[in-house]
């Protein structure tokens, strides 16, 4: 772009029509009369006659350049991958919106490549963020008033080759079974009801189907029978709550071996949820919670279940990696699914 300063005396000969205004011009009350970034037309020039100013800074597009209002949508559309749509522009930003509920995937290297071109800016949520439909997952912006067309074309090729810079993977509908362990002789209908309500709200938000939870006594044979029953009724994921994760002789661990399953990892470098464990019976994951994980508090479980429902294979390496960002304080609530809009993310029914 070619920039120049224009005095008031030389602004009325039509020389500034078609130029880009570089700064806001305000009226006598201080309100913006003509905004920066506008390509000045005859009506703008007429408005400028009626407001006080001494010097305007304007710029002319060079051959092969695109104004930001034309370049921005091109960048945004290239950045938007599967499950993402471009929203209406606001203040020179083009929002990228989740077109469905799911997990955000960022093409980090490709985005760094695009952002390495001065004048282009695409910024997003963190990779792995859980979002609802309609949430803003990123924005695209052209930081100067214009950029070379070739710059946009090259960046768009990079973004499209990556399948978009930001995508939202949908949750798959899965049948989820739930087993709650009770101390011998102390089955509690109220407890299983609360457990089912809390877990059910989470599962429904994630698009799954929670089968009616069952409560069994904490005996090896009873737990083994319950696991086999869950497999027989088509559970694709089984949640087991009430285990003593630090006890190698816990009946759940013994029963898991009896039905041909394996424990993948016990304990996670994160809190709350450090006693979470994961096992597997064939292709069916088992997600294990201690007694304190029966109800509504958001824990590691709320980070793992969404990923499994998006098709991720979660094993020992993936659980070990949760240590980075595993200090799950209230300030980290943004990482959890927004089960209820009226509550802090990760919270469900009391």
């Amino acid at each position: 772009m070619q920039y120049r300063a224009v005095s008031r005396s030389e602004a009325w000969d039509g020389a500034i029509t078609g130029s880009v205004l570089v700064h806001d011009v305000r009226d006598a009350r201080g309100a913006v009369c003509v905004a920066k970034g506008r390509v000045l037309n005859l009506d703008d020039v007429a408005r400028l006659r009626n407001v006080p100013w001494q010097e305007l800074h304007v710029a002319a597009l060079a051959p092969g350049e695109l104004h930001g209002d034309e370049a921005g949508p091109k960048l945004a559309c290239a950045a938007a991958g599967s499950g993402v749509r471009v929203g209406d522009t606001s203040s020179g930003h083009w929002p990228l919106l989740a077109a469905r509920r799911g997990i955000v995937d960022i093409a980090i290297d490709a985005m760094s490549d695009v952002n390495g071109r001065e004048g282009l800016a695409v910024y997003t949520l963190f990779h792995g963020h859980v979002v609802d439909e309609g949430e803003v997952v990123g924005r695209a912006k052209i930081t100067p008033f214009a950029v070379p067309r070739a710059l946009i074309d090259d960046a768009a090729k990079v973004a499209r080759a990556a399948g978009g810079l930001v995508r939202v993977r949908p949750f798959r509908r899965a049948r989820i079974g739930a087993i709650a362990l009770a101390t011998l002789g102390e089955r509690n209908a109220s407890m299983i009801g609360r457990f089912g309500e809390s877990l059910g709200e989470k599962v429904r938000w994630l698009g799954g189907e929670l089968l009616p939870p069952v409560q069994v006594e904490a005996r090896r044979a009873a737990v083994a029978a319950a696991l086999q029953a869950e497999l027989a009724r088509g559970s694709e994921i089984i949640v087991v709550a009430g285990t003593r994760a630090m006890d190698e002789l816990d009946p759940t661990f013994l029963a898991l071996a009896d039905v041909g399953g394996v424990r993948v990892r016990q304990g996670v470098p994160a809190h709350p949820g450090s006693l979470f464990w994961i096992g597997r019976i064939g292709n069916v994951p088992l997600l294990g919670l201690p007694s304190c994980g029966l109800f509504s508090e958001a824990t590691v479980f709320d980070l793992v279940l969404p990923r499994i429902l998006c098709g991720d294979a979660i094993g020992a390496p993936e659980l070990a990696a949760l240590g980075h960002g595993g200090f799950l304080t209230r300030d980290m609530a943004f990482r959890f699914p927004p089960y209820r809009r009226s509550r802090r993310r990760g919270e469900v029914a009391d």
Side-chain angles (χ1 to χ4, degrees), residues 205-248:
W205 193 92
L206 294 166
E209 175 191 0
L210 180 66
L211 301 177
V214 297
Q215 190 175 40
V216 301
E217 290 185 343
R219 293 185 296 108
R220 179 175 183 171
V223 178
L227 290 173
Q228 289 173 327
E230 289 302 325
L231 295 173
R233 63 175 180 166
S235 295
E236 299 167 79
I237 300 169
I238 301 174
V239 179
V240 182
T243 55
R244 297 187 299 269
M246 298 173 67
D247 184 355
E248 287 294 321

Side-chain angles (χ1 to χ4, degrees), residues 257-329:
D258 292 342
V259 299
V262 295
R263 193 167 16 142
V264 175
R265 169 149 180 159
Q266 175 184 348
V268 181
H271 179 80
S274 60
L275 295 182
F276 176 86
W277 60 271
I278 191 166
R280 190 169 293 278
I281 305 173
N283 294 323
V284 176
L286 267 69
L287 309 182
L289 307 172
S291 297
C292 60
L294 280 169
F295 306 118
S296 62
E297 183 180 16
T299 70
V300 167
F301 172 81
D302 299 271
L303 301 180
V304 172
L305 181 59
R307 292 180 60 184
I308 292 176
L309 290 174
C310 271
D312 289 351
I314 304 297
E318 289 75 21
L319 292 184
L322 291 176
H324 181 204
F327 188 36
L328 302 176
T329 62

Side-chain angles (χ1 to χ4, degrees), residues 122-136:
V122 178
Y123 45 98
T124 68
L125 299 177
F126 284 117
H127 180 82
H129 198 101
V130 178
V131 293
D132 201 353
E133 181 179 354
E135 283 195 61
V136 176

Side-chain angles (χ1 to χ4, degrees), residues 87-264:
D88 296 332
T89 183
S90 175
S91 302
H93 301 252
W94 280 263
L96 305 173
L97 306 174
R100 58 194 176 201
R101 190 172 286 181
I103 288 181
V104 174
D105 275 348
I106 306 300
I108 297 174
D109 290 342
M111 187 166 69
S112 295
D113 188 343
V114 168
N115 286 333
R117 294 163 168 79
E118 186 172 343
L120 309 187
V122 178
Y123 45 98
T124 68
L125 299 177
F126 284 117
H127 180 82
H129 198 101
V130 178
V131 293
D132 201 353
E133 181 179 354
E135 283 195 61
V136 176
V137 297
R139 286 191 173 93
K141 179 176 174 61
I142 306 299
T143 54
F145 296 110
V147 291
R149 181 184 296 273
L151 190 72
I152 285 290
D153 290 344
D154 288 345
K157 287 179 183 178
V158 171
R160 292 194 176 103
L165 303 182
V166 54
R167 302 174 291 272
V168 175
R169 282 187 292 146
F171 301 118
R172 65 182 178 90
R173 183 170 179 81
R175 292 164 62 87
I176 299 176
I179 301 171
L181 273 59
T183 304
L184 298 182
E186 293 186 1
R187 294 198 187 189
N188 187 317
S190 173
M191 183 187 76
I192 194 67
R194 289 177 59 204
F195 174 50
E197 182 180 359
S198 173
L199 180 59
E201 188 168 5
K202 295 179 179 184
V203 169
R204 286 190 299 274
W205 193 92
L206 294 166
E209 175 191 0
L210 180 66
L211 301 177
V214 297
Q215 190 175 40
V216 301
E217 290 185 343
R219 293 185 296 108
R220 179 175 183 171
V223 178
L227 290 173
Q228 289 173 327
E230 289 302 325
L231 295 173
R233 63 175 180 166
S235 295
E236 299 167 79
I237 300 169
I238 301 174
V239 179
V240 182
T243 55
R244 297 187 299 269
M246 298 173 67
D247 184 355
E248 287 294 321
L249 299 179
D250 183 89
T252 304
F253 298 148
L254 300 176
L256 180 59
D258 292 342
V259 299
V262 295
R263 193 167 16 142
V264 175

